[in-house]
Each structure stands twice: as C-alpha cells, then as structure tokens.
Amino acid sequence: MKNTQKNTQKTTQKAIMKTAASFEALDELCINSIRTLSIDAVQKANSGHPGLPLGAAAMAYVLWTRFLKHNPANPAWYNRDRFVLSAGHGSMLLYSLLHLTGYDLPMEQIKQFRQWNSLTPGHPESELTPGVEVTTGPLGQGFANGVGMAIAEAYLAARYNRSGFNLFDHFTYGIVSDGDLMEGIASEAASLAGHLKLGKLIYLYDNNHITLSASTALTFSEDSAKRFDAYGWHTQHIEDGNDLKAIYQAIEKARQTTEQPSLILIKTHIGYGSPHKQDTFEAHGSPLGVEEVKLTKENLGWPSNASFYIPKKALQHFRKALIQGRTLEKEWQANFSVYRKKYSKLAEEISQLMKGTLASGWDSNIPSFIADSKGLATRDASHKVMQAISPNLPGFIGGSADLNPSTKTELINFGNFENPSMAKGDLQGIVDGGWNYEGRNLYYGVREHAMGGISNGLATITGMIPFAATFLIFSDYMRPTIRLAALMKLGVIYVFTHDSIGLGEDGPTHQPVEQLASLRAVPGLVLIRPADANETAVAWRIAIESRHNPVALILTRQAVATLDRKIYASAQGLCRGAYILADPPKVKPLMILIATGSEVGLIVEAQKKLQKQKIPVRIVSMPSWELFEAQSKNYRESVLPTAIVLRLAVEAGVSQGWERYVGDKGAIISVKTFGASAPGPILQERYGFTVENVCQQAKILLKKSKNSKKMKRL
C-alpha cells in the first residue's frame, strides 16, 4: 500500500514537473516570438529601435497575458485596462503584442514597419493603429498621459459605481524608460499622482541603464526608487527582467496597493540575446544588422533563417486574449444592463459618455450679455459661461496651474478632485461640492507641462472634456503637449488668459508677444481670441463641440466693451472665424480694418472717427484664423474682397502671419519687441494700440495709395 502511494506521488510529481516545464517552455516560446518579430521588422525597415523589445519582452508578456483586461476584437471597449508604452521608440514591442493577441494589425502591416501609409509608424500613433491608446515617442509624455487616464477612471468610478456594480474598475499600466524618468514632465506628473493616491496606476520601469547615446552612468545616478517613494508611490525592485514569477508577483502586489501609484523597477538588458550588442547603446536606436539578427536568434534558440516566424503554439496562446476579451466585455455589458434598470438616469449619462456625444440642450443655459461700454474681461465672461454649462456636461473636468483666481476657471459647487484622506491642514482655495474623486476641479499646482500631458490622457477617455488653464505666456511650458493633442486629435480645451501687454505691471516676463503666432503654427489646433463677452460665449460652444481637435481660448485680463449687437453683427459670426462687424452706411468701403480680441474695440471706435472724416471703412472681427480658413472661398472673399487692397490689421502680438490677410498694400499694428513693466493703459498707448494711432495708420495707408495712383498716371 505504501509503495503504491509512493509510486502515485512520484507519478503526480513528475506530471506536475512536466506541466510546469511545458508552461515554462511555452512562456519562453511566446517571449521569443515577441523578440524575434520585433527585430525582424526593424531589420526589414533598416530603421528602428530593437533594444527595448528584446529587453522588455518578458515584462510585457507577463502583463499582457496575465493581467491586462482588454478585448482585441473591440479596442474601444470602455472598461478596458489602458496600456501606455511611454518609451514609444520601442514601438515594435507594442505592435508585436497587438498582432499576436489578435488586434486588427495583420502581418502585412508588421512587415511594413516605418513605411509610407502603414499602420506601424516609427512611434505609436493612437489615431492610426488599433489598440494604441496614446501617441508616444517624446519621452515623458506617455507617463503623464497615464496619470490622466487614472484620474478619469477614479472620477468615473466615484461618480457612477454603486454597490454590486463596479462598472469602472480598469487599471492603467505602462512601460517607462530611463529617458521618461529623466524628463521633467514625468517628475511633475509623478508628484501629482502620488499626492492624489492613484492606486490603479502601475508603471513597469525598464531599467536597462542605457540611453540612446551612452550609459546612464554619465547622466543619471539618482536613486529613482527613493525619489518615487518621496512622491508617495509604492516601489518594488526586480533584479532579473526575465524572472517571470517575480514580475507576476510584483504586479499582483501593485494591484493590491490601492492608495498609491506603483513603480516596479526591473533590471533588464537592452538588446537581450544579441551576442555583440546586448547592454550597449548600439542596440538602442539602430537595427542590429542582418548577421547580428541571425546570431541573436541562434542565441535565443530560434530558427536563424526564418523571418517573421511565429510558432503555432505561441500564437494559439496569445490569441486566447480574443476569447477572454469577448467574455469580459459580455459580462460587463450584462452587468450594465442590470445597472440601467436600477439607475436609469446615471446609465443614460454613461451611455452618452461612451458614445462621445453631447446631451440635447447642453448649451441651453449659456448666457447672452447686454451691450455695455465698460464691459468685462473675457476671462470673466468665460467664467460665467463655464458655470452655465457645467451642470449639463458630466465629463467636463479640469483646472489650472495654481491660477484659479486669475484664470477664473474654478467650477463652483462641483467639488475638489482629491483623495478623501488628504482633507487636512490648510485648505485655502477649495470650492464647495466635496473633497473626493467625484470632484471636477483638478488642482495641478505649478505644473503646466504635466497639466497638458494629463489633460491629453483624460481626453483619450471618450466622453471626458478636459480643460487646462494658465496665462498665455506659460503656454510655452505646454507646447509639446499641445502639439501632441493636435496630433492625436484630442478635444482638450486650453483657457489662456492675460493675453497681451494689456496685463500691465508684471512686465515682459509675463506679457505674451510671440505666443499667438506660435500657437497658430500648430496644425490642427484651433485658436480663438474673442472680442467681447458674447464672442466668448460662442467660442465656448465651439470648444465644447470640438471633440476631435484641441481648442485654445485666448482671454483678456482687462475689461473690454460688450458690443451692441443691434448695431454690430451677431457674435455668431465667430463660428466662421472672421465676420463683418459693420460696413460704412450707403457707400462702399475704401479700406478694411481687421482685429482680434481686445483690439476689436479699437477698430470699432476708429471706424466712427474715420467715418466723420468721410473715410469709409469696413471693420472685421477675426477671432480665429483656423475657423476662417475652413470656410468656403466665396465666404472668405465676401469678408475680405480681393478688390479692397487697403487693409490694416491690429493685434497686440507679433505680426508674423498677418501678411496673408493684409497683402503687400496693407499694414499691421503689432508688437515688435518684448513688453515692459507699466500699467496696461500706458503700455497700450506707448505701443500704439490706441484709436488715434489706428486712425493715423489708416490715413497713412490711404495717402500711400493715392500717391501710388498719381505716380501711375505720370
């Protein structure tokens, strides 16, 4: 009997060992499938970054096959986990995972890596490739995007989850690199994430000690774990990047750490398996070379002459994600159906968010403003509009870079997005409405760059409408994130106040001069500089409805007159970018005066004075070049007829770009140098932004034209 039991135990033990060995062999087969697929694509393109996919394949494999909740058949499933490859240069790692797990990224596209019109560009692009959540490559950006995604999950969960219904419970995972951690935006974003205690944010740090051009020993000797400990993150170390068990246990522990974001520092070998390039910067940003690819495959126990080879067993294992994903989404949908019966109003809100559409009548409370010669600052008008639309937009969330009193962007009675445990100490600056993850006021602190990146992450969650506010001058700190928002076609709204030298005494360090021209140069960004309160209201409507491109609202600190729309054209003209405010009565205009923002008031008054001097002029408000350029040629011609060559543009910024609208017979009143420290009205006078100077420059243009005609006659 005892011998029988011993024999049975031995047989069972052998079976377990055999099963374990087969699992280990399958894991290795799958990991090497990722590695070899990646280096084959890089080599075929003769361009790319093979080092990261070789070194980080094991951690990515564990994450994607053991933890990641996703449905490759429906990349847009709302409650999927999010994965961010912040180290976007290692894009072939992500493309390999997407192909292997069953996303609509066929082998033909893998073979077209980095080629014209392919779905596998050099760095991941969210608008292009199924399964890519965000466009990454500029280091640190993806790190900040992930923080925004985690904020969105926490907000949605707090607002909509009920007992028995965890509709929103997704994690945000990412792979980050040495370069990501070096970039300042990551420090800003990590600091805020730690403060907010975003427990569903987990980053795997591919700690390979190599950058593109050198060893990190030359530049990066800090103790990253201690830094992130100080930020309030949960940190863990893994000494071997190929230790699947350790990686699994670390991710599981991170998932159980509910009140801290997690950073798992994993020591890896860049270019793992390459006999001559492993652990060198040569593996970072250049193909291994045909011979080295063969040697690497041999080193990994792979057929050296087989390109783009995927073993059947590995593919079958990866493709289980399709079955699991469909099951997970089906279960979620069933749970949501029950939820809908019990919480119909909330369910309707969720459905609206998931569709990315706006509820009927969302804009019904937008105010209209009566004519007022004293008027109000457009930042104040913006504040009134924001309060009016907030109740009807559950996805409307955002904040400023420690400037709420100045940008006027707090949402009154909508609470403070904070972890409840942090409601202690001096809480100056909070708004009514609670202190929890359901709050819609984000406090970014003095972190403009992170604010931009986090807003991008928020905007990737369908239905979320993030806004980010600061002074226009500090848009320079946000420039990389604004560019990426435009590239990704994200509906982020920027509220940039203190828009000109008119802000006054703070001086040239705070007075924007070149920023309008700089932002207009960003393809896909719509910039709107409204002239008065009613144009501001229309601008906000456009911004909210623009869900596939970012919009920058450029607002004044100083009061501007609210135009009498019984005399002047409706502010709805802003929708077309530029419109005729008024023409001279009973006579054709000799000249067109064009202005934006606060300078529109100058051309309005100048028209009156010039009219008295029998100089008939048309006045045009031109709040948005981008919206104007989108109009038909006939409409543009109706506003700026080619027959009227005398044109004067007035804007308190550099003149760059205005030439296209004034032509070679026109002129521009602009700022030609940096500002100065003095009261706003003094500066405007010194820099020529007065009614008198507008009239004078108009008459100079007219005189030049007359002299030119005389010369032609001679």
Side-chain angles (χ1 to χ4, degrees), residues 341-533:
K341 292 173 184 176
K342 196 168 183 179
Y343 305 104
S344 58
K345 187 175 179 181
L346 290 176
E348 184 57 36
E349 273 191 19
I350 294 170
S351 295
Q352 203 85 50
L353 288 171
M354 290 193 298
K355 288 185 288 187
T357 55
L358 302 171
S360 177
W362 72 268
D363 56 350
S364 58
N365 296 324
I366 292 181
S368 58
F369 299 85
I370 61 171
D372 182 357
S373 59
K374 292 183 179 178
L376 72 165
T378 52
R379 65 170 177 168
D380 291 316
S382 169
H383 178 73
K384 292 177 186 294
V385 176
M386 290 178 73
Q387 308 320 306
I389 62 179
S390 295
N392 300 326
L393 297 171
F396 190 47
I397 182 171
S400 72
D402 196 45
L403 288 168
N404 271 351
S406 296
T407 58
K408 306 294 180 77
T409 44
E410 69 277 7
L411 302 179
I412 299 170
N413 296 323
F414 280 96
N416 312 274
F417 184 92
E418 298 278 357
N419 185 286
S421 68
M422 300 299 288
K424 55 190 176 183
D426 188 347
L427 302 180
Q428 295 180 56
I430 66 173
V431 298
D432 292 334
W435 180 284
N436 50 51
Y437 287 150
E438 198 174 343
R440 283 160 59 183
N441 289 283
L442 292 171
Y443 297 94
Y444 286 107
V446 189
R447 301 184 182 100
E448 285 90 353
H449 201 172
M451 176 172 69
I454 290 168
S455 297
N456 286 352
L458 277 163
T460 66
I461 310 298
T462 305
M464 301 302 286
I465 307 175
F467 64 88
T470 187
F471 293 173
L472 178 56
I473 191 72
F474 300 133
S475 65
D476 285 349
Y477 285 140
M478 301 173 64
R479 179 58 183 252
T481 63
I482 294 171
R483 183 179 189 274
L484 282 168
L487 182 59
M488 287 189 269
K489 298 180 172 61
L490 297 176
V492 180
I493 301 170
Y494 306 105
V495 182
F496 293 137
T497 66
H498 296 58
D499 69 343
S500 72
I501 57 171
L503 72 90
E505 291 86 347
D506 279 342
T509 59
H510 283 54
Q511 291 165 4
V513 173
E514 73 277 20
Q515 280 67 30
L516 290 173
S518 175
L519 290 171
R520 284 173 178 144
V522 179
L525 173 67
V526 172
L527 184 146
I528 307 175
R529 189 171 182 238
D532 71 350

Side-chain angles (χ1 to χ4, degrees), residues 195-212:
H195 166 78
L196 292 174
K197 299 181 180 296
L198 299 173
K200 289 191 173 178
L201 178 65
I202 300 173
Y203 285 158
L204 311 181
Y205 171 22
D206 177 27
N207 188 12
N208 59 38
H209 303 289
I210 297 292
T211 61
L212 185 143

Side-chain angles (χ1 to χ4, degrees), residues 270-271 274-284 286-289 292:
I270 192 169
S274 171
H276 300 109
K277 296 188 177 181
Q278 178 177 311
D279 295 326
T280 71
F281 68 80
E282 291 177 331
H284 186 287
S286 300
L288 297 179
E292 190 71 9

Side-chain angles (χ1 to χ4, degrees), residues 444-679:
Y444 286 107
V446 189
R447 301 184 182 100
E448 285 90 353
H449 201 172
M451 176 172 69
I454 290 168
S455 297
N456 286 352
L458 277 163
T460 66
I461 310 298
T462 305
M464 301 302 286
I465 307 175
F467 64 88
T470 187
F471 293 173
L472 178 56
I473 191 72
F474 300 133
S475 65
D476 285 349
Y477 285 140
M478 301 173 64
R479 179 58 183 252
T481 63
I482 294 171
R483 183 179 189 274
L484 282 168
L487 182 59
M488 287 189 269
K489 298 180 172 61
L490 297 176
V492 180
I493 301 170
Y494 306 105
V495 182
F496 293 137
T497 66
H498 296 58
D499 69 343
S500 72
I501 57 171
L503 72 90
E505 291 86 347
D506 279 342
T509 59
H510 283 54
Q511 291 165 4
V513 173
E514 73 277 20
Q515 280 67 30
L516 290 173
S518 175
L519 290 171
R520 284 173 178 144
V522 179
L525 173 67
V526 172
L527 184 146
I528 307 175
R529 189 171 182 238
D532 71 350
N534 285 307
E535 277 198 7
T536 303
V538 178
W540 261 110
R541 182 178 282 107
I542 289 170
I544 295 294
E545 291 176 344
S546 297
R547 295 298 83 227
H548 300 292
N549 62 269
V551 174
L553 304 179
I554 314 297
L555 308 174
T556 68
R557 177 196 187 196
Q558 74 274 21
V560 292
T562 304
L563 298 176
D564 186 343
R565 297 295 171 166
K566 293 177 182 176
I567 299 173
Y568 300 100
S570 167
Q572 290 297 324
L574 178 141
C575 296
R576 307 187 81 168
Y579 63 105
I580 302 166
L581 273 176
D583 268 331
K586 301 179 181 179
V587 63
K588 290 183 179 180
L590 290 176
M591 182 185 302
I592 304 174
L593 305 183
I594 316 166
T596 75
S598 51
E599 289 75 70
V600 169
L602 297 179
I603 65 171
V604 166
E605 294 304 314
Q607 186 197 40
K608 295 175 185 175
K609 287 200 168 191
L610 292 169
Q611 190 68 36
K612 290 178 181 177
Q613 299 172 44
K614 302 191 182 306
I615 302 174
V617 299
R618 166 179 289 182
I619 52 175
V620 170
S621 175
M622 195 174 199
S624 176
W625 293 9
E626 296 78 23
L627 293 177
F628 184 62
E629 292 299 330
Q631 305 307 308
S632 68
K633 183 178 180 181
N634 287 342
Y635 176 77
R636 286 182 277 127
E637 175 67 17
S638 72
V639 176
L640 300 176
T642 51
I644 305 177
V645 297
L646 299 183
R647 303 175 184 182
L648 177 63
V650 187
E651 186 173 70
V654 296
S655 63
Q656 184 176 337
W658 275 107
E659 298 84 359
R660 78 177 75 173
Y661 297 117
V662 300
D664 57 4
K665 299 280 196 305
I668 307 160
I669 298 176
S670 62
V671 179
K672 298 176 178 62
T673 183
F674 293 114
S677 182

